[in-house]
Coordinates of all heavy atoms in Angstrom, one line a residue:
C1 N 0.9 -1.2 0.0 CA 0.0 0.0 0.0 C 0.9 1.2 0.0 O 1.6 1.4 1.0 CB -0.9 0.0 1.2 SG -1.9 1.5 1.4
A2 N 0.9 1.9 -1.1 CA 1.7 3.2 -1.2 C 0.8 4.4 -0.9 O -0.3 4.6 -1.4 CB 2.2 3.3 -2.7
A3 N 1.4 5.2 0.0 CA 0.7 6.4 0.5 C 1.3 7.7 -0.1 O 2.6 7.7 -0.3 CB 0.8 6.4 2.0
S4 N 0.5 8.6 -0.3 CA 1.0 10.0 -0.8 C 0.1 11.0 -0.3 O -1.1 10.8 0.1 CB 1.1 10.0 -2.3 OG -0.2 9.8 -2.9
G5 N 0.6 12.3 -0.2 CA -0.2 13.4 0.2 C -0.2 13.7 1.6 O -0.9 14.7 2.0
G6 N 0.6 13.1 2.4 CA 0.6 13.4 3.8 C 2.0 13.0 4.4 O 2.9 12.5 3.7
I7 N 2.2 13.2 5.7 CA 3.4 12.7 6.4 C 3.1 11.3 6.9 O 2.4 11.1 7.8 CB 3.7 13.7 7.5 CG1 4.0 15.1 7.0 CG2 5.0 13.2 8.2 CD1 4.2 16.1 8.0
F8 N 3.8 10.4 6.2 CA 3.5 9.0 6.5 C 3.6 8.6 7.9 O 2.8 7.8 8.4 CB 4.4 8.1 5.6 CG 4.0 6.7 5.5 CD1 2.8 6.3 5.1 CD2 4.9 5.7 5.9 CE1 2.4 4.9 5.0 CE2 4.6 4.3 5.8 CZ 3.3 3.9 5.4
R9 N 4.6 9.1 8.6 CA 4.9 8.6 10.0 C 3.8 9.2 10.9 O 3.8 8.8 12.1 CB 6.3 9.1 10.4 CG 6.5 10.6 10.5 CD 7.9 10.9 10.9 NE 8.1 12.3 11.0 CZ 8.5 13.0 10.0 NH1 8.8 12.4 8.8 NH2 8.7 14.3 10.1
D10 N 3.0 10.1 10.5 CA 1.9 10.6 11.3 C 0.7 9.7 11.4 O -0.3 10.0 12.1 CB 1.4 11.9 10.8 CG 2.3 13.1 11.1 OD1 3.1 12.9 12.1 OD2 2.1 14.2 10.6
Y11 N 0.8 8.5 10.7 CA -0.4 7.6 10.6 C -0.1 6.2 11.1 O 1.0 5.6 10.7 CB -0.8 7.6 9.1 CG -1.4 8.9 8.6 CD1 -0.6 9.9 8.1 CD2 -2.8 9.1 8.7 CE1 -1.1 11.1 7.7 CE2 -3.3 10.3 8.3 CZ -2.4 11.3 7.8 OH -3.0 12.5 7.4
V12 N -1.0 5.7 11.9 CA -1.0 4.3 12.1 C -1.7 3.7 10.9 O -2.6 4.3 10.3 CB -1.9 4.0 13.3 CG1 -2.4 2.6 13.3 CG2 -1.2 4.4 14.6
M13 N -1.1 2.6 10.4 CA -1.6 2.0 9.2 C -2.2 0.7 9.5 O -1.7 -0.1 10.3 CB -0.4 1.8 8.2 CG 0.3 3.1 7.8 SD -0.8 4.2 6.9 CE -1.3 3.3 5.5
G14 N -3.3 0.4 8.8 CA -4.0 -0.8 9.0 C -4.4 -1.5 7.8 O -4.5 -0.9 6.7
W15 N -4.7 -2.8 7.9 CA -5.3 -3.6 6.8 C -6.6 -4.2 7.3 O -6.7 -4.7 8.4 CB -4.3 -4.7 6.4 CG -3.1 -4.3 5.6 CD1 -1.9 -4.1 6.1 CD2 -3.1 -4.1 4.2 NE1 -1.0 -3.7 5.1 CE2 -1.7 -3.7 3.9 CE3 -4.0 -4.2 3.2 CZ2 -1.3 -3.5 2.6 CZ3 -3.6 -3.9 1.9 CH2 -2.2 -3.5 1.6
F16 N -7.6 -4.1 6.4 CA -8.9 -4.6 6.7 C -9.3 -5.5 5.5 O -8.6 -5.4 4.4 CB -9.9 -3.5 6.9 CG -9.8 -2.7 8.1 CD1 -8.8 -1.8 8.3 CD2 -10.6 -2.9 9.2 CE1 -8.6 -1.1 9.4 CE2 -10.5 -2.2 10.4 CZ -9.5 -1.3 10.5
R17 N -10.3 -6.3 5.6 CA -10.8 -7.1 4.5 C -12.3 -7.3 4.6 O -12.9 -7.2 5.7 CB -10.1 -8.5 4.5 CG -10.4 -9.4 5.7 CD -9.6 -10.6 5.6 NE -9.8 -11.5 6.8 CZ -9.1 -12.5 7.2 NH1 -8.0 -12.8 6.4 NH2 -9.4 -13.2 8.2
R18 N -12.9 -7.4 3.4 CA -14.3 -7.6 3.3 C -14.5 -8.9 2.4 O -14.3 -8.8 1.2 CB -15.1 -6.5 2.7 CG -16.6 -6.6 2.8 CD -17.3 -5.6 1.9 NE -17.0 -4.2 2.3 CZ -17.7 -3.5 3.2 NH1 -18.7 -4.1 3.9 NH2 -17.3 -2.2 3.4
A19 N -15.0 -9.9 3.0 CA -15.3 -11.1 2.3 C -16.8 -11.0 1.7 O -17.6 -10.2 2.2 CB -15.3 -12.4 3.2
P20 N -17.0 -11.8 0.6 CA -18.4 -11.7 0.0 C -19.5 -12.0 1.0 O -19.5 -12.9 1.8 CB -18.3 -12.8 -1.0 CG -16.9 -13.0 -1.3 CD -16.2 -12.7 -0.1
G21 N -20.4 -11.0 1.1 CA -21.6 -11.2 2.0 C -21.3 -10.9 3.5 O -22.1 -11.1 4.3
K22 N -20.1 -10.4 3.8 CA -19.7 -10.2 5.2 C -19.3 -8.7 5.4 O -19.1 -8.0 4.4 CB -18.6 -11.1 5.6 CG -18.9 -12.6 5.6 CD -17.8 -13.4 6.2 CE -18.2 -14.9 6.3 NZ -17.1 -15.7 6.9
E23 N -19.3 -8.3 6.6 CA -18.8 -7.0 7.0 C -17.3 -6.9 6.9 O -16.6 -7.9 7.0 CB -19.3 -6.6 8.3 CG -20.8 -6.5 8.5 CD -21.2 -5.9 9.8 OE1 -20.4 -5.8 10.8 OE2 -22.5 -5.7 10.0
R24 N -16.9 -5.6 6.7 CA -15.4 -5.4 6.7 C -14.9 -5.7 8.1 O -15.5 -5.3 9.1 CB -15.1 -3.9 6.3 CG -13.7 -3.6 6.1 CD -13.5 -2.3 5.4 NE -14.1 -1.2 6.0 CZ -14.3 0.0 5.5 NH1 -13.9 0.2 4.2 NH2 -15.0 0.9 6.1
E25 N -13.7 -6.4 8.1 CA -13.1 -6.7 9.4 C -11.6 -6.4 9.4 O -10.9 -6.3 8.4 CB -13.2 -8.2 9.6 CG -12.5 -9.1 8.7 CD -12.4 -10.6 9.1 OE1 -12.8 -10.9 10.2 OE2 -11.9 -11.4 8.3
F26 N -11.2 -6.1 10.7 CA -9.8 -5.8 10.9 C -8.9 -7.0 10.7 O -9.2 -8.1 11.0 CB -9.7 -5.3 12.4 CG -8.3 -5.1 12.9 CD1 -7.5 -4.0 12.5 CD2 -7.7 -6.1 13.6 CE1 -6.2 -3.9 13.0 CE2 -6.4 -6.0 14.1 CZ -5.7 -4.8 13.8
V27 N -7.7 -6.7 10.1 CA -6.7 -7.8 9.9 C -5.5 -7.5 10.7 O -5.0 -8.3 11.5 CB -6.4 -7.9 8.4 CG1 -5.3 -8.9 8.2 CG2 -7.6 -8.2 7.6
A28 N -4.9 -6.3 10.5 CA -3.6 -6.0 11.2 C -3.4 -4.4 11.2 O -4.1 -3.7 10.4 CB -2.5 -6.7 10.4
A29 N -2.6 -4.0 12.1 CA -2.2 -2.6 12.2 C -0.8 -2.4 12.7 O -0.3 -3.4 13.4 CB -3.2 -1.9 13.1
I30 N -0.2 -1.3 12.4 CA 1.2 -1.0 12.8 C 1.4 0.4 13.2 O 0.8 1.3 12.5 CB 2.1 -1.5 11.6 CG1 3.6 -1.5 12.0 CG2 1.9 -0.6 10.4 CD1 4.5 -2.2 11.0
N31 N 2.2 0.6 14.1 CA 2.4 2.0 14.6 C 3.4 2.7 13.7 O 4.0 2.2 12.7 CB 2.9 2.1 16.1 CG 4.3 1.6 16.2 OD1 4.7 0.7 15.5 ND2 5.0 2.2 17.2
W32 N 3.7 4.0 14.0 CA 4.5 4.8 13.0 C 5.9 4.3 12.9 O 6.4 4.4 11.8 CB 4.4 6.3 13.5 CG 5.3 6.5 14.7 CD1 4.9 6.3 16.0 CD2 6.6 7.0 14.8 NE1 6.0 6.6 16.9 CE2 7.0 7.0 16.1 CE3 7.5 7.3 13.8 CZ2 8.3 7.4 16.6 CZ3 8.8 7.8 14.2 CH2 9.2 7.8 15.6
R33 N 6.4 3.8 14.0 CA 7.8 3.3 13.9 C 8.0 1.9 13.4 O 9.1 1.5 13.1 CB 8.4 3.5 15.3 CG 10.0 3.5 15.3 CD 10.5 4.1 16.6 NE 9.9 3.6 17.8 CZ 10.2 4.1 19.0 NH1 10.9 5.2 19.1 NH2 9.6 3.6 20.0
G34 N 6.8 1.2 13.4 CA 6.9 -0.2 12.9 C 7.3 -1.2 14.0 O 7.5 -2.3 13.7
D35 N 7.3 -0.8 15.3 CA 7.7 -1.7 16.3 C 6.6 -2.2 17.2 O 6.8 -3.0 18.1 CB 8.8 -1.1 17.2 CG 8.4 0.2 17.9 OD1 7.3 0.7 17.5 OD2 9.1 0.7 18.7
I36 N 5.4 -1.8 16.8 CA 4.2 -2.2 17.6 C 3.2 -2.7 16.5 O 2.9 -1.8 15.6 CB 3.6 -1.2 18.5 CG1 4.6 -0.8 19.6 CG2 2.4 -1.7 19.1 CD1 4.2 0.3 20.5
T37 N 2.7 -3.9 16.6 CA 1.7 -4.4 15.7 C 0.6 -5.1 16.4 O 0.7 -5.4 17.6 CB 2.4 -5.4 14.7 OG1 3.0 -6.5 15.5 CG2 3.5 -4.8 13.9
D38 N -0.5 -5.2 15.7 CA -1.7 -5.9 16.3 C -2.3 -6.7 15.1 O -2.3 -6.3 13.9 CB -2.7 -5.0 16.8 CG -3.8 -5.7 17.6 OD1 -3.6 -6.9 18.0 OD2 -4.8 -5.0 17.9
Y39 N -2.8 -7.9 15.4 CA -3.4 -8.8 14.4 C -4.7 -9.4 15.0 O -4.9 -9.6 16.2 CB -2.5 -9.9 14.1 CG -1.2 -9.6 13.5 CD1 -0.1 -9.4 14.3 CD2 -1.0 -9.4 12.1 CE1 1.2 -9.0 13.8 CE2 0.2 -9.1 11.6 CZ 1.3 -8.9 12.5 OH 2.5 -8.5 11.9
T40 N -5.6 -9.6 14.1 CA -6.8 -10.4 14.5 C -6.3 -11.8 14.8 O -5.3 -12.3 14.1 CB -7.9 -10.4 13.4 OG1 -9.1 -10.9 13.9 CG2 -7.5 -11.1 12.1
D41 N -7.0 -12.5 15.7 CA -6.5 -13.8 16.1 C -6.3 -14.8 15.0 O -5.4 -15.6 15.0 CB -7.5 -14.3 17.2 CG -7.4 -13.7 18.5 OD1 -6.4 -12.9 18.7 OD2 -8.3 -13.8 19.3

């Protein structure tokens, strides 16, 4: 995922997904420095 138009390190970045017929769900996220992450189980 390539970002433009802002200061990238100002943003926590996340990944979500939407399967057919389902709601969008959280997959993973990462802090600005890249040393803290979170994942769905």
Side-chain angles (χ1 to χ4, degrees):
C1 173
S4 61
I7 300 174
F8 190 59
R9 65 179 179 272
D10 280 347
Y11 293 86
V12 163
M13 299 300 297
W15 286 97
F16 290 76
R17 64 188 177 191
R18 188 195 302 271
K22 295 187 177 181
E23 293 186 352
R24 186 164 57 191
E25 65 170 349
F26 170 78
V27 177
I30 189 167
N31 74 326
W32 72 277
R33 196 159 52 186
D35 59 348
I36 298 175
T37 58
D38 190 18
Y39 299 91
T40 191
D41 286 346

